Amino acid sequence: MHYTVYCLDHDNMVERRLAHYEEHKAYLATSPVRMVMSGPLLAGDQETMIGSFFLYEADEIGDVMRFNSNDPFNKAGIWRTVDIRPFLKRVDNR
């Protein structure tokens, strides 16, 4: 099953986000579930980072939730909201 993880930052988190980026990136490399894709969500200016998006493939949503809860961005209080949902992939044009 695929799972989307949609995280929105608190306001004015760009500097804090950048301060924890290397730790976040290293943590993602340890994922026990398969990461299909990930990247920052952007504001309307298409430059300012305002959140994070992940698409995982995992057996259980709990595996994704546990991994996300220990993410350095989450522990640093960057994300205001985290929404994790099952996703039924019907089309993949990669």
Side-chain angles (χ1 to χ4, degrees):
M1 173 63 67
H2 287 93
Y3 297 93
T4 61
V5 180
Y6 190 89
C7 310
L8 289 176
D9 295 355
H10 290 279
D11 291 338
N12 303 312
M13 285 288 128
V14 174
E15 287 182 29
R16 184 182 291 183
R17 173 181 270 274
L18 292 174
H20 292 276
Y21 177 68
E22 290 301 322
E23 184 183 8
H24 164 74
K25 190 168 72 170
Y27 179 74
L28 293 180
T30 71
S31 179
V33 292
R34 182 174 173 267
M35 183 183 305
V36 178
M37 67 175 62
S38 70
L41 298 170
L42 302 176
D45 65 8
Q46 298 182 1
E47 292 181 15
T48 305
M49 294 175 284
I50 61 165
S52 303
F53 173 82
F54 307 92
L55 178 62
Y56 287 102
E57 187 176 328
D59 292 331
E60 302 281 333
I61 194 170
D63 296 335
V64 176
M65 294 170 81
R66 277 186 293 282
F67 184 69
N68 181 267
S69 70
N70 289 310
D71 188 296
F73 279 2
N74 202 16
K75 289 187 168 195
I78 294 169
W79 292 328
R80 177 176 41 92
T81 62
V82 175
D83 189 26
I84 301 174
R85 303 216 179 236
F87 173 70
L88 181 58
K89 182 176 71 170
R90 295 199 189 265
V91 177
D92 185 345
N93 291 318
R94 284 180 282 151

